Amino acid sequence: MRKSLETGKCVVLEVLTPRGTNLDKFMEFTEEAWKTGIDAFTVTDMPMGRVRMAPWAASHLLVESGKDVLMHFTRNTRNMIRIQSDLLGCHALGVKNLLLLSGDNPSHGDYPETTSVNDIDILDLIRLTKLMNEGTDLAGNKIYGKTDFFVGGALNPFSDEDVERAKQKIEAGVDFLVTQPLFNSEVAKKIKEELNTKILASIVFFENAKQMSYFSNVPGIEIPDEIVNSAEKGDDYLKEKSFESVLRFVEETKDVLDGFYIVAIVKDLEKIRKVVEIAKS
């Protein structure tokens, strides 16, 4: 992944960890998806505050099977001690590429009474990984053996406040940023000009109107009218127009951006293969 990101030809595929102990479907899908030519799987960390297998466990299994991984690492379900312990554990298991996130509000998930932990903000989490790469923790204590973390942060290009926050993340030491799903190539080009770092644009194509409706309500995502209006002609037409829009976006931005992040709802291997083909051409 690191090498592909440096050349500006990186494609990663997001996967959800199982909601249980049965890994059969997870491992079967990732084995087949790896053949599409992606550079890494990005493994989520309990999105929507719902309990799933720990991302470091699934990530380790993928690494052990010869696949590269970008693991989500969220701060709001860990206290300061656990954060540093888990980072050391991830590194020991071969998980060194991390997307550092605040995390979804856990009270919106399986356990509404659960509280968020705010021992550390996202900027200090970034700084912590960089300090560990130098051989110390956030308190200045020496750790025995330096880490080799390669870390990214999230970016909403439609929020001026978030763009300013992204600049702070760059200053804190992130190696790359991942945007919210984008469809507009001009937005992508503008944000790349403004931010001096590697940028992966998230992309998503929809299977049905229900999926599109969900994403249309997520802050920071602007779905083009042509896709929204296509839903009136049925899911098959929406699926076709959605995919066409994404391929056009990839074609228009592949020489500007540094790569693409395919969101987890996408399971069609042939479509993933087509995105990889265009992105790397």
Side-chain angles (χ1 to χ4, degrees):
M1 175 190 161
R2 299 189 194 190
K3 183 178 179 181
S4 296
L5 196 55
E6 285 300 319
T7 62
K9 300 291 183 180
C10 185
V11 182
V12 299
L13 175 63
E14 184 182 76
V15 289
L16 303 174
T17 62
R19 282 179 64 86
T21 60
N22 190 329
L23 283 153
D24 291 347
K25 288 185 178 180
F26 178 83
M27 297 306 291
E28 288 169 7
F29 175 75
T30 53
E31 192 63 37
E32 290 304 310
W34 188 245
K35 298 174 185 177
T36 63
I38 59 171
D39 297 291
F41 289 103
T42 177
V43 181
T44 58
D45 189 359
M46 294 186 291
M48 309 302 293
R50 294 179 177 172
V51 176
R52 289 181 177 270
M53 183 180 290
W56 51 261
S59 295
H60 174 64
L61 291 172
L62 292 174
V63 170
E64 286 290 288
S65 66
K67 302 170 184 65
D68 208 356
V69 167
L70 169 63
M71 192 193 89
H72 290 204
F73 189 97
T74 57
R75 62 166 187 81
N76 69 342
T77 54
R78 298 173 169 96
N79 66 19
M80 176 73 80
I81 297 171
R82 175 60 64 189
I83 283 174
Q84 295 179 86
S85 175
D86 282 356
L87 286 171
L88 291 174
C90 287
H91 197 274
L93 292 174
V95 182
K96 302 175 184 179
N97 303 324
L98 302 174
L99 182 59
L100 304 178
L101 304 165
S102 289
D104 294 329
N105 189 332
S107 68
H108 295 165
D110 295 326
Y111 298 93
E113 301 303 318
T114 301
T115 57
S116 292
V117 183
N118 293 297
D119 282 4
I120 185 172
D121 70 11
I122 195 66
L123 297 179
D124 276 338
L125 179 55
I126 295 166
R127 295 184 187 105
L128 170 60
T129 60
K130 295 303 175 177
L131 286 171
M132 294 177 83
N133 282 354
E134 297 171 4
T136 66
D137 64 16
L138 202 56
N141 300 314
K142 181 180 179 180
I143 59 175
Y144 296 93
K146 297 179 181 180
T147 59
D148 181 32
F149 288 125
F150 185 69
V151 301
L155 164 66
N156 174 6
F158 297 103
S159 165
D160 291 340
E161 181 180 350
D162 204 68
V163 171
E164 290 304 310
R165 188 70 162 169
K167 292 176 182 178
Q168 293 178 312
K169 291 177 182 178
I170 294 169
E171 186 176 342
V174 291
D175 299 293
F176 61 94
L177 293 168
V178 176
T179 73
Q180 294 276 62
L182 291 179
F183 297 88
N184 188 317
S185 59
E186 293 306 314
V187 172
K189 292 172 184 177
K190 179 182 177 183
I191 201 66
K192 179 61 179 174
E193 289 176 0
E194 187 169 354
L195 298 175
N196 183 30
T197 192
K198 300 291 184 181
I199 294 180
L200 290 167
S202 289
I203 55 175
V204 60
F205 30 99
F206 309 112
E207 291 292 311
N208 51 57
K210 183 178 180 182
Q211 286 182 348
M212 185 194 67
S213 177
Y214 169 80
F215 275 87
S216 67
N217 291 316
V218 176
I221 300 179
E222 295 188 4
I223 301 173
D225 289 341
E226 67 168 318
I227 298 179
V228 175
N229 295 336
S230 69
E232 298 174 0
K233 297 184 179 181
D235 286 344
D236 287 343
Y237 188 72
L238 166 63
K239 187 189 303 186
E240 178 185 343
K241 299 304 290 185
S242 170
F243 189 51
E244 286 177 3
S245 178
V246 166
L247 292 184
R248 184 166 60 249
F249 173 80
V250 173
E251 182 67 51
E252 292 173 350
T253 60
K254 66 179 182 179
D255 295 325
V256 177
L257 299 172
D258 304 288
F260 302 93
Y261 177 116
I262 305 174
V263 175
I265 65 169
V266 177
K267 303 292 185 185
D268 188 317
L269 296 181
E270 288 309 309
K271 288 182 177 179
I272 294 169
R273 196 185 311 276
K274 185 64 176 178
V275 169
V276 172
E277 179 185 318
I278 293 175
K280 293 181 177 290
S281 63

